[in-house]
Amino acid sequence: MPTDTLLPALDPMAIPGPPWLFHALWLVTFAIHVVGVNVVLGSSILGTMASLDSDRSFGRGVAGFFAEVNTWAISLTITFGIAPLLFLQVLHGRLFYSATVILAPAWLGLLLFLMAAYYLTYGAKYRLRAGKGAAVHLGLSALLFLGVAAIQVVVHLLSVQPGRWEGVLASPWTALSDRSFLPRFLHFVLAGITLAGILLAWVSVRRVPEEGARAEASARAAFGVKIALLATLLQLVDGLWLTISVPREVLLGLMRGGGATMLPLTLGIAAGFGLLVFLARVRDPIADRTSVRRSLELFGLAMVLMLVTRHQLRDLYIAAAGATPLPRRPASGVSSRSSSAVSSSAPPWRSSRSSAARRTGRVPEKRRREARRTDAAGSRHLTLSGAGRATIGPCSEALPSPRSATSGLRRTRRMSTSFSRPSRAPISSPPSRRSRDPRPPTASRTKRR
Protein backbone atom coordinates (compact mmCIF):
# COMPACT_ATOMS: atom_id res chain seq x y z
CA MET A 1 0.00 0.00 0.00
CA PRO A 2 1.58 3.36 -0.98
CA THR A 3 2.35 5.95 1.66
CA ASP A 4 0.02 8.51 0.03
CA THR A 5 -2.87 6.15 0.71
CA LEU A 6 -1.85 5.55 4.32
CA LEU A 7 -1.41 9.25 5.13
CA PRO A 8 -4.81 10.75 6.04
CA ALA A 9 -5.97 13.95 4.42
CA LEU A 10 -5.66 17.24 6.24
CA ASP A 11 -8.53 18.19 8.47
CA PRO A 12 -10.62 20.76 6.55
CA MET A 13 -11.45 22.54 9.78
CA ALA A 14 -9.05 25.33 10.68
CA ILE A 15 -7.17 25.14 13.97
CA PRO A 16 -8.91 27.27 16.61
CA GLY A 17 -6.09 29.73 17.15
CA PRO A 18 -2.60 30.76 16.10
CA PRO A 19 -0.16 27.83 15.70
CA TRP A 20 2.53 29.42 17.88
CA LEU A 21 0.15 29.40 20.85
CA PHE A 22 -0.46 25.67 20.54
CA HIS A 23 3.27 24.98 20.18
CA ALA A 24 4.02 27.03 23.30
CA LEU A 25 1.29 25.34 25.35
CA TRP A 26 2.42 21.98 24.07
CA LEU A 27 5.99 22.61 25.25
CA VAL A 28 4.90 23.87 28.68
CA THR A 29 2.53 21.00 29.40
CA PHE A 30 4.90 18.42 27.95
CA ALA A 31 7.74 19.68 30.17
CA ILE A 32 5.57 19.12 33.26
CA HIS A 33 4.66 15.67 31.99
CA VAL A 34 8.30 14.75 31.31
CA VAL A 35 9.31 15.71 34.85
CA GLY A 36 6.84 13.13 36.13
CA VAL A 37 8.01 10.56 33.57
CA ASN A 38 11.62 10.96 34.71
CA VAL A 39 10.68 10.66 38.36
CA VAL A 40 8.61 7.51 37.83
CA LEU A 41 11.12 5.81 35.55
CA GLY A 42 14.16 6.70 37.63
CA SER A 43 12.50 5.91 40.95
CA SER A 44 11.43 2.45 39.82
CA ILE A 45 14.97 1.63 38.62
CA LEU A 46 16.78 3.04 41.66
CA GLY A 47 14.22 1.49 44.00
CA THR A 48 14.95 -1.90 42.46
CA MET A 49 18.69 -1.36 42.84
CA ALA A 50 18.33 -0.27 46.46
CA SER A 51 16.11 -3.24 47.35
CA LEU A 52 18.87 -5.58 46.16
CA ASP A 53 21.49 -3.94 48.41
CA SER A 54 23.18 -6.18 50.95
CA ASP A 55 22.52 -3.63 53.69
CA ARG A 56 18.84 -4.21 54.21
CA SER A 57 18.25 -1.28 56.53
CA PHE A 58 19.71 1.17 54.04
CA GLY A 59 18.33 -0.50 50.92
CA ARG A 60 14.79 -0.91 52.18
CA GLY A 61 14.77 2.67 53.41
CA VAL A 62 15.75 4.01 49.98
CA ALA A 63 13.37 1.62 48.21
CA GLY A 64 10.56 2.70 50.54
CA PHE A 65 11.28 6.36 49.71
CA PHE A 66 11.03 5.73 45.96
CA ALA A 67 7.91 3.57 46.36
CA GLU A 68 6.22 6.37 48.31
CA VAL A 69 7.21 8.91 45.64
CA ASN A 70 5.97 6.76 42.78
CA THR A 71 2.51 6.21 44.21
CA TRP A 72 1.62 9.87 43.65
CA ALA A 73 4.06 10.57 40.80
CA ILE A 74 2.41 7.97 38.54
CA SER A 75 -1.02 9.58 38.96
CA LEU A 76 0.28 13.09 38.31
CA THR A 77 2.27 11.96 35.29
CA ILE A 78 -0.73 10.34 33.64
CA THR A 79 -2.94 13.33 34.43
CA PHE A 80 -0.48 15.90 33.08
CA GLY A 81 0.01 13.78 29.96
CA ILE A 82 -3.51 14.54 28.72
CA ALA A 83 -2.90 18.21 27.84
CA PRO A 84 0.16 17.69 25.58
CA LEU A 85 -1.66 14.80 23.90
CA LEU A 86 -4.53 17.15 22.99
CA PHE A 87 -2.17 19.78 21.59
CA LEU A 88 -0.38 17.06 19.64
CA GLN A 89 -3.74 16.03 18.20
CA VAL A 90 -4.39 19.57 16.99
CA LEU A 91 -0.98 20.07 15.37
CA HIS A 92 0.08 16.59 14.19
CA GLY A 93 -2.95 14.43 14.84
CA ARG A 94 -3.05 12.66 11.49
CA LEU A 95 0.57 11.54 11.84
CA PHE A 96 0.46 10.52 15.50
CA TYR A 97 -2.81 8.58 15.37
CA SER A 98 -1.80 6.83 12.16
CA ALA A 99 1.31 5.54 13.92
CA THR A 100 -0.74 4.35 16.89
CA VAL A 101 -3.13 2.50 14.56
CA ILE A 102 -0.24 0.80 12.77
CA LEU A 103 1.16 -0.30 16.15
CA ALA A 104 -2.26 -0.85 17.71
CA PRO A 105 -1.41 -3.99 19.76
CA ALA A 106 1.60 -2.32 21.36
CA TRP A 107 -0.24 0.97 21.91
CA LEU A 108 -3.18 -0.72 23.63
CA GLY A 109 -0.78 -2.91 25.60
CA LEU A 110 0.76 0.28 26.98
CA LEU A 111 -2.36 0.82 29.09
CA LEU A 112 -2.11 -2.68 30.51
CA PHE A 113 1.57 -2.10 31.35
CA LEU A 114 0.71 1.13 33.18
CA MET A 115 -2.06 -0.43 35.26
CA ALA A 116 0.04 -3.47 36.20
CA ALA A 117 3.05 -1.31 37.15
CA TYR A 118 0.80 0.96 39.21
CA TYR A 119 -0.57 -1.90 41.30
CA LEU A 120 2.89 -3.44 41.68
CA THR A 121 4.19 -0.14 43.04
CA TYR A 122 1.45 -0.06 45.66
CA GLY A 123 2.19 -3.67 46.55
CA ALA A 124 5.87 -2.81 47.04
CA LYS A 125 4.95 0.19 49.16
CA TYR A 126 2.86 -1.81 51.63
CA ARG A 127 5.36 -4.65 51.78
CA LEU A 128 8.17 -2.24 52.64
CA ARG A 129 6.01 -0.61 55.31
CA ALA A 130 5.54 -4.06 56.85
CA GLY A 131 9.30 -4.64 56.89
CA LYS A 132 9.29 -7.16 54.04
CA GLY A 133 11.30 -7.23 50.85
CA ALA A 134 9.86 -5.83 47.61
CA ALA A 135 12.59 -6.49 45.05
CA VAL A 136 10.27 -8.57 42.84
CA HIS A 137 7.48 -6.00 42.85
CA LEU A 138 9.82 -3.08 42.17
CA GLY A 139 11.75 -5.01 39.52
CA LEU A 140 8.60 -5.96 37.61
CA SER A 141 7.26 -2.42 37.79
CA ALA A 142 10.60 -1.08 36.49
CA LEU A 143 10.48 -3.50 33.53
CA LEU A 144 6.92 -2.48 32.73
CA PHE A 145 7.78 1.22 32.85
CA LEU A 146 10.75 0.58 30.55
CA GLY A 147 8.35 -1.14 28.17
CA VAL A 148 6.06 1.88 28.26
CA ALA A 149 9.00 4.17 27.47
CA ALA A 150 10.07 1.95 24.57
CA ILE A 151 6.56 1.98 23.06
CA GLN A 152 6.39 5.77 23.32
CA VAL A 153 9.74 6.19 21.57
CA VAL A 154 8.79 3.76 18.77
CA VAL A 155 5.45 5.49 18.15
CA HIS A 156 7.12 8.89 18.10
CA LEU A 157 9.74 7.84 15.56
CA LEU A 158 7.15 6.15 13.38
CA SER A 159 4.80 9.14 13.44
CA VAL A 160 7.41 11.52 12.02
CA GLN A 161 8.52 9.12 9.26
CA PRO A 162 5.50 8.20 7.11
CA GLY A 163 7.80 6.56 4.58
CA ARG A 164 8.32 3.63 6.98
CA TRP A 165 4.63 2.91 7.50
CA GLU A 166 4.31 0.43 4.65
CA GLY A 167 7.25 -1.67 5.87
CA VAL A 168 6.03 -1.63 9.49
CA LEU A 169 2.58 -2.74 8.37
CA ALA A 170 4.14 -5.72 6.62
CA SER A 171 6.44 -6.54 9.55
CA PRO A 172 5.68 -4.70 12.84
CA TRP A 173 8.98 -5.65 14.47
CA THR A 174 10.85 -3.50 11.91
CA ALA A 175 9.65 -0.49 13.92
CA LEU A 176 12.56 -1.20 16.26
CA SER A 177 15.11 -1.05 13.41
CA ASP A 178 15.38 2.75 13.41
CA ARG A 179 18.97 3.85 14.00
CA SER A 180 17.99 6.45 16.55
CA PHE A 181 15.64 4.23 18.59
CA LEU A 182 18.17 2.86 21.08
CA PRO A 183 20.06 6.14 21.79
CA ARG A 184 16.77 8.03 22.10
CA PHE A 185 15.40 5.39 24.47
CA LEU A 186 18.57 5.51 26.60
CA HIS A 187 18.39 9.30 26.56
CA PHE A 188 15.09 9.17 28.46
CA VAL A 189 16.13 6.35 30.78
CA LEU A 190 19.38 8.03 31.82
CA ALA A 191 17.58 11.33 32.36
CA GLY A 192 15.14 9.58 34.70
CA ILE A 193 17.96 7.95 36.68
CA THR A 194 19.76 11.29 36.98
CA LEU A 195 16.69 13.10 38.26
CA ALA A 196 15.84 10.35 40.74
CA GLY A 197 19.38 10.39 42.14
CA ILE A 198 19.45 14.18 42.53
CA LEU A 199 15.97 14.13 44.06
CA LEU A 200 17.06 11.57 46.66
CA ALA A 201 20.13 13.65 47.54
CA TRP A 202 18.19 16.93 47.74
CA VAL A 203 15.40 15.52 49.92
CA SER A 204 17.99 14.01 52.27
CA VAL A 205 19.95 17.25 52.83
CA ARG A 206 17.48 20.08 52.18
CA ARG A 207 17.15 20.34 55.99
CA VAL A 208 19.98 19.72 58.36
CA PRO A 209 19.21 16.29 59.84
CA GLU A 210 19.33 15.59 63.53
CA GLU A 211 22.42 14.06 65.04
CA GLY A 212 20.99 10.56 65.11
CA ALA A 213 19.79 10.64 61.48
CA ARG A 214 22.82 12.45 60.08
CA ALA A 215 24.69 9.34 59.02
CA GLU A 216 21.68 7.81 57.25
CA ALA A 217 20.86 11.07 55.44
CA SER A 218 24.48 11.47 54.34
CA ALA A 219 24.58 7.89 53.03
CA ARG A 220 21.36 8.37 51.05
CA ALA A 221 22.55 11.66 49.58
CA ALA A 222 25.93 10.20 48.63
CA PHE A 223 24.18 7.26 46.93
CA GLY A 224 21.99 9.63 44.93
CA VAL A 225 24.88 11.88 43.91
CA LYS A 226 27.01 8.97 42.73
CA ILE A 227 24.19 7.49 40.67
CA ALA A 228 23.39 10.90 39.13
CA LEU A 229 27.06 11.54 38.31
CA LEU A 230 27.44 8.20 36.56
CA ALA A 231 24.17 8.64 34.63
CA THR A 232 25.20 12.16 33.52
CA LEU A 233 28.52 10.86 32.18
CA LEU A 234 26.69 8.19 30.21
CA GLN A 235 24.17 10.78 29.08
CA LEU A 236 26.86 12.88 27.41
CA VAL A 237 28.11 9.85 25.49
CA ASP A 238 24.59 8.85 24.55
CA GLY A 239 23.83 12.40 23.41
CA LEU A 240 26.70 12.22 20.93
CA TRP A 241 25.42 8.83 19.72
CA LEU A 242 21.93 10.23 19.29
CA THR A 243 23.23 13.20 17.30
CA ILE A 244 25.05 11.08 14.73
CA SER A 245 22.13 8.63 14.45
CA VAL A 246 19.70 11.31 13.29
CA PRO A 247 19.06 11.23 9.50
CA ARG A 248 21.40 13.43 7.51
CA GLU A 249 18.76 15.79 6.08
CA VAL A 250 17.29 16.32 9.55
CA LEU A 251 20.68 17.02 11.08
CA LEU A 252 21.52 19.46 8.27
CA GLY A 253 18.24 21.26 8.84
CA LEU A 254 19.09 21.57 12.52
CA MET A 255 22.54 22.97 11.75
CA ARG A 256 21.23 25.40 9.13
CA GLY A 257 18.49 26.72 11.38
CA GLY A 258 20.80 29.35 12.84
CA GLY A 259 20.39 30.67 16.33
CA ALA A 260 16.80 29.44 16.63
CA THR A 261 17.90 25.80 16.56
CA MET A 262 21.55 25.88 17.56
CA LEU A 263 21.17 28.13 20.61
CA PRO A 264 18.88 25.76 22.61
CA LEU A 265 21.07 22.79 21.68
CA THR A 266 24.30 24.56 22.65
CA LEU A 267 22.88 25.85 25.93
CA GLY A 268 21.48 22.42 26.74
CA ILE A 269 24.88 20.79 26.24
CA ALA A 270 26.50 23.51 28.37
CA ALA A 271 23.94 22.93 31.13
CA GLY A 272 24.77 19.21 30.99
CA PHE A 273 28.46 19.90 31.48
CA GLY A 274 27.64 22.31 34.32
CA LEU A 275 25.55 19.59 35.97
CA LEU A 276 28.49 17.23 35.70
CA VAL A 277 30.80 19.76 37.36
CA PHE A 278 28.47 20.44 40.30
CA LEU A 279 27.87 16.75 40.92
CA ALA A 280 31.59 15.99 40.80
CA ARG A 281 32.45 18.66 43.39
CA VAL A 282 30.10 17.26 46.04
CA ARG A 283 32.16 15.53 48.72
CA ASP A 284 29.94 15.92 51.78
CA PRO A 285 26.32 16.40 50.67
CA ILE A 286 25.22 17.80 54.01
CA ALA A 287 28.00 20.38 54.12
CA ASP A 288 27.63 21.25 50.42
CA ARG A 289 23.89 21.50 50.09
CA THR A 290 24.24 24.40 47.67
CA SER A 291 25.89 22.21 45.04
CA VAL A 292 23.09 19.66 45.35
CA ARG A 293 20.49 22.38 44.83
CA ARG A 294 22.42 23.83 41.88
CA SER A 295 22.57 20.37 40.34
CA LEU A 296 18.80 20.08 40.51
CA GLU A 297 18.37 23.51 38.90
CA LEU A 298 20.83 22.75 36.11
CA PHE A 299 19.08 19.48 35.39
CA GLY A 300 15.78 21.33 35.00
CA LEU A 301 17.39 23.87 32.65
CA ALA A 302 19.02 21.18 30.53
CA MET A 303 15.76 19.24 30.34
CA VAL A 304 13.76 22.25 29.11
CA LEU A 305 16.37 23.14 26.47
CA MET A 306 16.55 19.57 25.22
CA LEU A 307 12.77 19.46 24.97
CA VAL A 308 12.90 22.54 22.73
CA THR A 309 15.48 20.80 20.51
CA ARG A 310 13.34 17.66 20.45
CA HIS A 311 10.34 19.74 19.36
CA GLN A 312 12.36 21.30 16.54
CA LEU A 313 13.64 17.88 15.44
CA ARG A 314 10.05 16.69 15.14
CA ASP A 315 9.23 19.47 12.68
CA LEU A 316 12.42 18.78 10.74
CA TYR A 317 11.56 15.08 10.51
CA ILE A 318 8.08 15.91 9.19
CA ALA A 319 9.44 18.44 6.70
CA ALA A 320 11.96 15.90 5.41
CA ALA A 321 9.12 13.38 4.96
CA GLY A 322 7.10 15.90 2.93
CA ALA A 323 4.06 15.81 5.23
CA THR A 324 2.38 19.16 5.73
CA PRO A 325 2.31 19.66 9.48
CA LEU A 326 -0.61 22.07 9.80
CA PRO A 327 -3.97 22.64 8.08
CA ARG A 328 -4.30 25.96 6.34
CA ARG A 329 -5.97 28.68 8.25
CA PRO A 330 -8.66 30.79 6.56
CA ALA A 331 -7.64 34.29 5.60
CA SER A 332 -8.93 37.07 7.81
CA GLY A 333 -12.14 38.71 6.68
CA VAL A 334 -13.30 35.78 4.55
CA SER A 335 -16.76 34.54 5.27
CA SER A 336 -17.08 31.04 6.67
CA ARG A 337 -19.49 30.19 3.86
CA SER A 338 -17.76 28.40 1.04
CA SER A 339 -17.18 30.49 -2.05
CA SER A 340 -17.81 27.50 -4.26
CA ALA A 341 -21.32 27.20 -2.90
CA VAL A 342 -22.00 30.80 -3.91
CA SER A 343 -20.52 30.47 -7.38
CA SER A 344 -22.11 27.08 -8.14
CA SER A 345 -25.52 28.60 -8.82
CA ALA A 346 -26.31 31.96 -10.32
CA PRO A 347 -27.87 34.54 -8.00
CA PRO A 348 -31.66 34.36 -8.09
CA TRP A 349 -32.05 38.01 -8.96
CA ARG A 350 -30.15 37.50 -12.23
CA SER A 351 -32.19 34.54 -13.39
CA SER A 352 -35.48 36.36 -12.86
CA ARG A 353 -34.67 39.35 -15.02
CA SER A 354 -36.45 39.81 -18.26
CA SER A 355 -34.69 39.34 -21.57
CA ALA A 356 -34.77 43.06 -22.22
CA ALA A 357 -33.07 43.72 -18.89
CA ARG A 358 -30.39 41.11 -19.64
CA ARG A 359 -29.71 42.70 -23.02
CA THR A 360 -29.59 46.32 -21.90
CA GLY A 361 -28.43 45.79 -18.33
CA ARG A 362 -31.23 48.11 -17.12
CA VAL A 363 -34.53 47.41 -15.45
CA PRO A 364 -37.63 48.59 -17.36
CA GLU A 365 -39.44 51.58 -15.97
CA LYS A 366 -42.66 49.60 -15.57
CA ARG A 367 -41.08 47.08 -13.25
CA ARG A 368 -39.38 49.88 -11.33
CA ARG A 369 -42.78 51.49 -10.64
CA GLU A 370 -44.19 48.16 -9.55
CA ALA A 371 -41.26 47.73 -7.17
CA ARG A 372 -42.01 51.13 -5.62
CA ARG A 373 -45.62 50.11 -5.03
CA THR A 374 -44.47 46.85 -3.49
CA ASP A 375 -42.17 48.74 -1.15
CA ALA A 376 -44.97 50.99 -0.08
CA ALA A 377 -47.18 47.98 0.66
CA GLY A 378 -44.53 46.56 2.98
CA SER A 379 -44.15 43.20 1.25
CA ARG A 380 -40.38 43.62 0.76
CA HIS A 381 -37.85 43.70 3.58
CA LEU A 382 -34.36 44.98 2.94
CA THR A 383 -31.49 44.67 5.38
CA LEU A 384 -28.01 46.06 4.82
CA SER A 385 -25.03 44.89 6.90
CA GLY A 386 -21.79 46.74 7.38
CA ALA A 387 -19.98 44.23 5.16
CA GLY A 388 -22.18 45.09 2.17
CA ARG A 389 -24.52 42.05 2.37
CA ALA A 390 -28.05 42.69 1.15
CA THR A 391 -30.81 40.44 2.44
CA ILE A 392 -34.10 40.58 0.54
CA GLY A 393 -36.82 38.44 2.02
CA PRO A 394 -35.51 34.94 2.62
CA CYS A 395 -32.62 35.19 0.13
CA SER A 396 -29.19 36.72 0.63
CA GLU A 397 -26.27 37.38 -1.66
CA ALA A 398 -22.79 38.67 -0.82
CA LEU A 399 -22.21 41.94 -2.68
CA PRO A 400 -19.08 44.05 -3.05
CA SER A 401 -18.93 46.93 -0.64
CA PRO A 402 -20.59 50.05 -2.18
CA ARG A 403 -18.53 53.15 -2.62
CA SER A 404 -21.05 55.16 -0.76
CA ALA A 405 -24.37 54.76 0.92
CA THR A 406 -26.19 56.29 -2.06
CA SER A 407 -24.74 53.92 -4.63
CA GLY A 408 -25.39 50.96 -2.30
CA LEU A 409 -29.07 51.89 -1.96
CA ARG A 410 -29.32 52.33 -5.73
CA ARG A 411 -27.86 48.91 -6.29
CA THR A 412 -30.19 47.23 -3.83
CA ARG A 413 -33.10 49.13 -5.39
CA ARG A 414 -32.20 47.59 -8.78
CA MET A 415 -31.97 44.18 -7.15
CA SER A 416 -35.40 44.52 -5.61
CA THR A 417 -37.09 44.55 -9.00
CA SER A 418 -36.11 40.95 -9.63
CA PHE A 419 -37.86 39.67 -6.52
CA SER A 420 -41.13 41.49 -6.97
CA ARG A 421 -43.44 40.34 -9.73
CA PRO A 422 -45.89 42.76 -11.33
CA SER A 423 -49.14 42.76 -9.47
CA ARG A 424 -52.06 41.56 -11.55
CA ALA A 425 -55.66 42.69 -11.36
CA PRO A 426 -57.92 40.26 -9.56
CA ILE A 427 -59.89 37.95 -11.83
CA SER A 428 -63.60 38.67 -11.71
CA SER A 429 -66.67 37.50 -13.58
CA PRO A 430 -67.42 39.14 -16.99
CA PRO A 431 -69.75 42.15 -16.86
CA SER A 432 -73.43 41.62 -17.61
CA ARG A 433 -75.10 42.70 -20.83
CA ARG A 434 -76.98 45.49 -19.13
CA SER A 435 -73.81 46.91 -17.65
CA ARG A 436 -72.24 47.05 -21.09
CA ASP A 437 -75.13 49.12 -22.52
CA PRO A 438 -74.03 52.78 -22.49
CA ARG A 439 -77.56 54.14 -23.01
CA PRO A 440 -79.69 55.26 -20.12
CA PRO A 441 -82.41 52.87 -19.08
CA THR A 442 -85.24 55.13 -20.17
CA ALA A 443 -84.03 55.15 -23.74
CA SER A 444 -83.79 51.40 -23.84
CA ARG A 445 -87.35 50.98 -22.55
CA THR A 446 -88.68 53.46 -25.13
CA LYS A 447 -87.12 51.56 -28.02
CA ARG A 448 -88.51 48.24 -26.85
CA ARG A 449 -91.99 49.68 -26.70
Side-chain angles (χ1 to χ4, degrees):
M1 187 178 294
T3 305
D4 295 340
T5 307
L6 295 175
L7 185 64
L10 283 172
D11 191 350
M13 296 295 294
I15 59 176
W20 64 264
L21 177 62
F22 288 94
H23 282 281
L25 293 175
W26 185 9
L27 279 173
V28 172
T29 54
F30 188 67
I32 300 173
H33 172 66
V34 167
V35 170
V37 168
N38 289 334
V39 170
V40 171
L41 191 59
S43 297
S44 60
I45 295 174
L46 292 190
T48 304
M49 295 173 57
S51 62
L52 296 175
D53 194 277
S54 58
D55 188 357
R56 290 189 176 182
S57 61
F58 170 78
R60 288 183 180 179
V62 173
F65 166 78
F66 284 124
E68 294 282 349
V69 169
N70 263 3
T71 51
W72 56 262
I74 295 172
S75 303
L76 291 179
T77 302
I78 295 174
T79 304
F80 282 108
I82 297 174
L85 182 62
L86 295 177
F87 293 126
L88 173 63
Q89 176 184 353
V90 172
L91 296 172
H92 302 296
R94 64 174 187 151
L95 299 174
F96 175 74
Y97 286 115
S98 298
T100 58
V101 170
I102 293 172
L103 298 175
W107 185 253
L108 295 177
L110 181 146
L111 301 177
L112 299 178
F113 286 3
L114 280 176
M115 289 190 292
Y118 192 43
Y119 283 113
L120 285 171
T121 302
Y122 266 97
K125 171 183 174 181
Y126 290 121
R127 284 184 64 88
L128 290 168
R129 283 185 178 179
K132 301 177 182 179
V136 176
H137 294 73
L138 290 174
L140 288 176
S141 66
L143 288 176
L144 291 173
F145 284 130
L146 288 173
V148 171
I151 293 172
Q152 292 279 6
V153 172
V154 169
V155 170
H156 168 77
L157 290 174
L158 189 62
S159 67
V160 296
Q161 300 178 85
R164 299 180 55 222
W165 291 359
E166 185 178 357
V168 175
L169 271 176
S171 179
W173 288 103
T174 57
L176 300 174
S177 62
D178 192 288
R179 289 178 52 195
S180 60
F181 164 71
L182 187 56
R184 185 181 289 268
F185 172 70
L186 292 176
H187 196 63
F188 275 97
V189 173
L190 292 173
I193 294 174
T194 303
L195 179 57
I198 298 175
L199 182 64
L200 176 63
W202 179 68
V203 171
S204 301
V205 302
R206 61 174 179 169
R207 295 178 181 174
V208 179
E210 299 178 357
E211 196 63 32
R214 189 180 182 90
E216 182 182 358
S218 179
R220 288 188 180 186
F223 174 75
V225 169
K226 289 178 182 178
I227 292 294
L229 179 61
L230 179 60
T232 305
L233 281 171
L234 295 176
Q235 185 75 283
L236 295 176
V237 178
D238 181 71
L240 179 61
W241 183 15
L242 178 59
T243 303
I244 62 178
S245 66
V246 172
R248 183 175 182 272
E249 58 273 13
V250 176
L251 186 59
L252 288 177
L254 184 68
M255 299 300 178
R256 293 170 181 170
T261 56
M262 293 304 297
L263 186 61
L265 177 61
T266 306
L267 292 178
I269 296 173
F273 278 104
L275 172 62
L276 187 64
V277 170
F278 275 98
L279 288 174
R281 62 184 292 182
V282 176
R283 294 292 182 266
D284 184 2
I286 297 179
D288 198 2
R289 291 181 297 169
T290 304
S291 296
V292 177
R293 188 179 72 252
R294 292 285 184 267
S295 300
L296 187 61
E297 295 169 354
L298 283 172
F299 176 86
L301 177 62
M303 184 198 69
V304 171
L305 293 171
M306 288 303 172
L307 285 180
V308 174
T309 301
R310 176 186 179 273
H311 195 77
Q312 293 170 340
L313 281 175
R314 179 197 292 269
D315 291 339
L316 292 172
Y317 264 103
I318 295 174
T324 306
L326 289 174
R328 295 181 180 178
R329 295 196 62 201
S332 59
V334 178
S335 174
S336 59
R337 181 183 300 180
S338 173
S339 59
S340 60
V342 176
S343 61
S344 59
S345 58
W349 57 271
R350 278 187 190 168
S351 59
S352 62
R353 278 190 181 185
S354 63
S355 59
R358 286 197 297 269
R359 286 196 307 269
T360 61
R362 294 182 298 176
V363 182
E365 182 64 24
K366 179 180 177 181
R367 301 190 69 176
R368 192 175 293 131
R369 288 197 301 268
E370 291 169 353
R372 292 196 191 101
R373 286 197 298 269
T374 306
D375 294 343
S379 62
R380 171 180 164 274
H381 305 282
L382 176 65
T383 304
L384 282 177
S385 65
R389 179 181 294 275
T391 304
I392 304 174
C395 304
S396 63
E397 180 64 21
L399 301 174
S401 301
R403 293 185 179 179
S404 62
T406 306
S407 62
L409 290 175
R410 258 195 222 109
R411 185 174 302 174
T412 53
R413 171 85 53 185
R414 287 199 299 270
M415 288 171 54
S416 68
T417 60
S418 63
F419 286 97
S420 59
R421 294 198 172 198
S423 58
R424 297 180 181 180
I427 300 175
S428 59
S429 59
S432 63
R433 189 173 185 181
R434 178 172 296 183
S435 63
R436 289 199 303 266
D437 193 354
R439 293 177 298 176
T442 55
S444 302
R445 287 194 294 270
T446 304
K447 187 176 180 179
R448 280 198 297 271
R449 289 174 185 173

